[in-house]
Amino acid sequence: MNPSSTFRIAVLPGDGIGVEVMQPCIDVLEAAMRRVGNVALDYEWLEAGANTYRETGNALPKATFDACAKADAILLGAMGMPHIRYPDGTEIAPQLDLRFDLGLYAGVRPIRTIPGVPSLLASPRAEAIDFVIIRESTEGLFASRGKGVVTDDREARDTMVITRPVCERLFDFSFRLAEDRRGSGSGKGRVTCVDKANVFASFAFFRKIFDERAARFPDLAADHVYIDAMALSLVLKPWEFDVMVTENMFGDILSDLGAGLIGGMGYAPSADIGDEHAVFQPCHGSAPDIAGEGKANPTAMFQSAAMMLDWLGERHAAPSARAAARLITDAIDAAFADGRLRTCEFGGDADTAAVTRAILAAIDNDTARVAAGGRA
Ligand code: ATP
């Protein structure tokens, strides 16, 4: 094979289960690309994370950051360990440094029920959960990371930052995503701004800019929901939402809530996207409670890798990369469809290796679709 598109991928397995799901993810990527042809990935494995910090005193070595900045995309497992901390008591989180330093303002967190994975909500409508949280990822309350002040052991302050340029790009990204989702038949053409504009000036400003940008997309529905009401709605009627966009801290919390709706962190992928760079990683952390047992659900890692191929394919006009992305997503759906593959979130015995085997088998079985050039 002489692939017409070869992309350089910075691979950061990180810590805990991040390491355990990364090699299976590469196996899945390779299997999908073998089937599709015309696309290849060139991997550079790099050190970063809590264990790197413990060994070297630096959680994100310069060589790693430079390689990430040069790569076409960054694939990340998970980083951080509760027992390894900076002197101020905060956790090691170089994934946050990457977001800030590479300007990855749009944290894309799709929340979709995989048919065959048990629903946590009793309503049959939960089978139709399919929405995307866009979490602003370079400012908000997280802008205070490393800058919070504790005075005289009496008072602590962290400051939230909302800026117009980032908001404009964030909202435009969200509206364009809603257009794409509607175009592909998966979306409702709706963007919901999640804020706390009734209390904070920063969120009133956030909402004002949202409304300004919404006016540029008159074909889409744009509405607002307060964060507390959204927490309620995401349990009562999550199937009604399409794209929701919110501040960094709110998005951090809502994405875990969303993951809970569809079976747990092992089913929640993510991408952190900027104008030039992007990191693809599962929403979950290093999961120290199950690390080393080989039972982490690798599905979110695979879904994140599919998002990477899709992003690369769109950015570089490489339809084969997009076809490989669809193949992985379809293989995940096929592997879970009959309801027998039960991961540890449900007390099942489908461990990392078993889920990987099932998805690899589904990729290999998907000859008809690949021969037909992928789904439209
Ligand atoms: P972080 O703060 O780094 O995002 P977290 O505190 O949200 O991490 P996680 O590491 O994501 O915590 O784990 C939350 C829970 O979900 C834990 O009980 C963990 O075992 C479980 N979990 C996370 N990822 C997976 C996975 N891939 N498969 C199965 N269980 C998982």
Side-chain angles (χ1 to χ4, degrees):
M1 183 181 79
N2 181 21
S4 58
S5 307
T6 301
F7 300 109
R8 285 167 307 161
I9 307 300
V11 178
L12 284 73
D15 302 304
I17 66 166
V19 180
E20 296 170 33
V21 296
M22 188 56 85
Q23 185 58 52
C25 178
I26 305 292
D27 295 344
V28 164
L29 279 167
E30 289 298 307
M33 289 186 303
R34 260 197 311 277
R35 290 228 71 91
V36 169
N38 268 330
V39 56
L41 301 179
D42 190 4
Y43 308 100
E44 186 174 6
W45 290 71
L46 299 159
E47 297 286 337
N51 287 314
T52 303
Y53 174 78
R54 188 171 54 187
E55 286 156 21
T56 68
N58 188 351
L60 185 62
K62 183 171 182 312
T64 296
F65 180 80
D66 290 347
C68 288
K70 282 195 206 119
D72 292 307
I74 302 158
L75 195 59
L76 196 152
M79 290 181 187
M81 279 289 175
H83 62 284
I84 306 175
R85 290 178 184 257
Y86 290 119
D88 70 356
T90 59
E91 272 197 47
I92 315 294
Q95 66 275 29
L96 298 181
D97 296 319
L98 283 172
R99 288 175 202 163
F100 277 70
D101 296 344
L102 295 177
L104 312 180
Y105 55 87
V108 182
R109 279 113 192 275
I111 304 291
R112 180 180 71 94
T113 304
I114 296 177
V117 174
S119 172
L120 279 299
L121 297 181
S123 168
R125 297 190 69 186
E127 286 167 23
I129 293 175
D130 183 356
F131 64 90
V132 183
I133 299 169
I134 306 293
R135 165 188 176 185
E136 197 293 312
S137 298
T138 58
E139 49 185 39
L141 192 52
F142 278 67
S144 190
R145 179 171 170 254
K147 300 179 192 150
V149 177
V150 180
T151 310
D152 299 334
D153 202 28
R154 186 176 46 85
E155 181 179 303
R157 285 175 192 251
D158 282 294
T159 303
M160 181 157 72
V161 177
I162 302 287
T163 68
R164 173 173 280 281
V166 168
C167 284
E168 289 180 350
R169 281 182 288 165
L170 178 79
F171 296 139
D172 288 353
F173 183 100
S174 306
F175 286 113
R176 283 196 299 268
L177 176 68
E179 283 178 337
D180 289 350
R181 281 170 56 81
R182 187 177 54 188
S184 70
S186 59
K188 303 174 178 68
R190 174 183 181 193
V191 183
T192 304
C193 176
V194 184
D195 59 42
K196 194 71 184 169
N198 50 338
V199 176
F200 298 103
S202 50
F203 279 114
F205 181 57
F206 188 79
R207 181 181 285 208
K208 173 173 173 279
I209 301 169
F210 174 84
D211 289 342
E212 287 170 16
R213 302 317 274 193
R216 297 176 173 227
F217 297 85
D219 293 343
L220 295 170
D223 56 4
H224 323 100
V225 176
Y226 295 132
I227 179 67
D228 43 337
M230 183 55 89
L232 179 73
S233 292
L234 278 188
V235 177
L236 292 183
K237 47 180 182 180
W239 42 83
E240 288 190 1
F241 295 99
D242 181 7
V243 174
M244 61 183 73
V245 56
T246 191
E247 178 271 337
N248 205 339
M249 179 74 163
F250 287 171
D252 187 29
I253 299 166
L254 284 189
S255 23
D256 274 31
L257 200 171
L261 296 173
I262 52 167
M265 303 302 289
Y267 296 98
S270 85
D272 295 301
I273 297 178
D275 293 332
E276 301 299 330
H277 306 278
V279 172
F280 299 84
Q281 66 172 116
C283 281
H284 62 73
S286 58
D289 54 335
I290 58 166
E293 297 179 31
K295 66 182 190 186
N297 177 3
T299 307
M301 185 76 241
F302 302 162
Q303 292 170 306
S304 305
M307 290 173 77
M308 177 182 80
L309 282 175
D310 196 54
W311 181 78
L312 285 168
E314 187 178 6
R315 187 174 166 80
H316 299 278
S320 301
R322 301 196 80 181
R326 279 195 300 275
L327 184 56
I328 293 173
T329 305
D330 289 349
I332 291 170
D333 284 5
F336 283 100
D338 69 9
R340 283 187 297 176
L341 199 61
R342 282 281 180 268
T343 54
C344 69
E345 291 99 329
F346 299 100
D349 60 2
D351 59 8
T352 312
V355 175
T356 306
R357 271 196 308 275
I359 290 168
L360 286 172
I363 289 174
D364 285 341
N365 285 337
D366 205 339
T367 44
R369 180 168 293 136
V370 173
R375 192 174 54 188

